[in-house]
Amino acid sequence: MSRYQLNYLDQLESEAIHIMREVAGQFERPALLFSGGKDSITLVHLALKAFRPGKFPFPLVHIDTGHNFQEALDYRDAMAERIGEKLIVRYVADTIKAKNLTEQKGKFASRNALQTYTLLDTIEEFKFDACIGGARRDEEKARAKERIFSVRDEFGQWNPKLQRPELWNTYNGRIDKGENVRVFPISNWTELDIWNYIRKEKIELPSIYFSHEREVLEYEGQLVAVSEFVQLEETDKISKKTVRYRTVGDMTCTAAVESTASNIDDIITEIIATKTSERGETRIDDKVSEAAMEDRKKNGYF
């Protein structure tokens, strides 16, 4: 790795640690939203650098849809035990039952929209005033509109036209009663930055990010894992392929890519050569409409 890359990654790391410490200083009840994906894993690593040898000034919170990859869940539990930090898990299935919500129907029935209810209920339950997340601006155009401190109103909703200026790394966390802030410390990172940082820091990841054999359903040019959550039909084309995942969401809405990249160097080489973002290539839920992500964010999605 070149000296320039090291300096650049050091600058990104320093900015993210500064943002996390700003959260600790400005808010009374923050939380770090954790999914078991590479971005939230990177956030935990940054939090360790920001606050050790002390404890985190916030718990880890996972909104579990019930459609997760088992590899991500296993990693989540092992990591929380290893670092000795509090992990709060709330389940979308419980919200569906409590609120009598209607689940999506169809081949790839997703709970993405419903997890917003669980997230907002969890924020209310613990009175969180700031939620740290691993969204990056290069992922998707709605996320590119976000400030690092992104205010949500008393209903958990986001208005992209009402955002605060953030000049000279000054972050305004003042909020009215009932409001909360979503905080994105790695907003300015790219997918390639994440992987270069993971390599530099020797961060362990779930095995799902590296090439492995898996039964997949070939659907409209995408490879979706065969699972109990996908409704198979007799005409479906099922095959076993060597794949990996660029992003880890639910099994119902995250496609794999064919790949033989079994180590970080090979993955970085793949990313340099690709012309699409990880969400653009592999997230089925973002293809519902041109504004799919923005619509979900306006309703309270992270």
Side-chain angles (χ1 to χ4, degrees), residues 51-107:
F51 302 111
R52 284 294 189 257
K55 299 284 286 183
F56 289 180
F58 41 69
L60 308 180
V61 176
H62 183 213
I63 305 301
D64 188 339
T65 63
H67 292 170
N68 303 94
F69 287 91
Q70 189 60 47
E71 294 93 331
L73 295 178
D74 291 344
Y75 183 98
R76 177 199 70 187
D77 295 338
M79 185 211 66
E81 183 176 355
R82 173 173 54 83
I83 67 175
E85 296 292 344
K86 183 179 181 180
L87 172 66
I88 297 170
V89 181
R90 290 295 181 267
Y91 299 93
V92 174
D94 292 340
T95 308
I96 292 170
K97 184 176 180 181
K99 294 182 179 292
N100 196 28
L101 300 177
T102 301
E103 291 201 58
Q104 189 180 90
K105 307 296 183 184
K107 193 175 193 66

Side-chain angles (χ1 to χ4, degrees), residues 217-265:
L217 163 66
E218 299 182 47
Y219 183 81
E220 295 185 356
Q222 294 187 305
L223 303 175
V224 183
V226 174
S227 74
E228 61 186 296
F229 311 120
V230 175
Q231 297 181 18
L232 296 178
E233 301 168 7
E234 290 184 4
T235 56
D236 285 335
K237 183 179 179 182
I238 307 297
S239 59
K240 184 171 285 188
K241 291 185 179 292
T242 300
V243 300
R244 71 175 189 87
Y245 286 83
R246 290 180 66 186
T247 180
V248 176
D250 280 358
M251 297 187 77
T252 54
C253 63
T254 309
V257 294
E258 283 198 78
S259 173
T260 58
S262 58
N263 59 66
I264 292 178
D265 287 341

Side-chain angles (χ1 to χ4, degrees), residues 53-275:
K55 299 284 286 183
F56 289 180
F58 41 69
L60 308 180
V61 176
H62 183 213
I63 305 301
D64 188 339
T65 63
H67 292 170
N68 303 94
F69 287 91
Q70 189 60 47
E71 294 93 331
L73 295 178
D74 291 344
Y75 183 98
R76 177 199 70 187
D77 295 338
M79 185 211 66
E81 183 176 355
R82 173 173 54 83
I83 67 175
E85 296 292 344
K86 183 179 181 180
L87 172 66
I88 297 170
V89 181
R90 290 295 181 267
Y91 299 93
V92 174
D94 292 340
T95 308
I96 292 170
K97 184 176 180 181
K99 294 182 179 292
N100 196 28
L101 300 177
T102 301
E103 291 201 58
Q104 189 180 90
K105 307 296 183 184
K107 193 175 193 66
F108 303 110
S110 172
R111 288 178 172 174
N112 256 0
L114 300 183
Q115 70 177 318
T116 297
Y117 292 94
T118 310
L119 173 59
L120 296 179
D121 285 350
T122 304
I123 290 172
E124 175 61 27
E125 177 185 355
F126 293 96
K127 306 302 180 186
F128 292 135
D129 51 5
C131 293
I132 302 168
R136 309 186 325 267
R137 288 178 177 141
D138 75 317
E139 290 180 277
E140 200 273 342
K141 55 191 176 184
R143 286 182 166 171
K145 297 178 181 180
E146 290 268 24
R147 299 292 192 264
I148 289 174
F149 275 26
S150 184
V151 178
R152 299 302 197 266
D153 66 21
E154 64 270 29
F155 303 106
Q157 296 178 328
W158 173 65
N159 187 339
K161 296 180 180 179
L162 293 177
Q163 298 197 75
R164 298 168 176 174
E166 293 180 336
L167 307 174
W168 306 291
N169 294 330
T170 300
Y171 307 109
N172 180 1
R174 281 184 284 183
I175 54 175
D176 294 326
K177 184 177 180 179
E179 294 179 334
N180 64 84
V181 173
R182 310 292 169 83
V183 181
F184 306 109
I186 57 173
S187 283
N188 294 327
W189 299 44
T190 65
E191 182 186 10
L192 185 58
D193 294 332
I194 292 289
W195 281 104
N196 276 323
Y197 187 74
I198 288 168
R199 176 170 64 179
K200 173 177 175 285
E201 297 292 310
K202 298 180 174 59
I203 301 172
E204 292 187 13
L205 294 175
S207 59
I208 198 170
Y209 280 108
F210 303 94
S211 65
H212 58 283
E213 273 200 346
R214 186 182 290 268
E215 275 198 338
V216 293
L217 163 66
E218 299 182 47
Y219 183 81
E220 295 185 356
Q222 294 187 305
L223 303 175
V224 183
V226 174
S227 74
E228 61 186 296
F229 311 120
V230 175
Q231 297 181 18
L232 296 178
E233 301 168 7
E234 290 184 4
T235 56
D236 285 335
K237 183 179 179 182
I238 307 297
S239 59
K240 184 171 285 188
K241 291 185 179 292
T242 300
V243 300
R244 71 175 189 87
Y245 286 83
R246 290 180 66 186
T247 180
V248 176
D250 280 358
M251 297 187 77
T252 54
C253 63
T254 309
V257 294
E258 283 198 78
S259 173
T260 58
S262 58
N263 59 66
I264 292 178
D265 287 341
D266 289 346
I267 289 172
I268 288 173
T269 299
E270 278 190 356
I271 294 169
I272 291 172
T274 191
K275 298 185 183 303

Side-chain angles (χ1 to χ4, degrees), residues 273-293:
T274 191
K275 298 185 183 303
T276 56
S277 72
E278 68 258 53
R279 292 194 71 96
E281 183 176 16
T282 65
R283 291 302 288 265
I284 298 170
D285 50 332
D286 287 349
K287 300 180 186 299
V288 175
S289 73
E290 283 293 317
M293 172 63 80

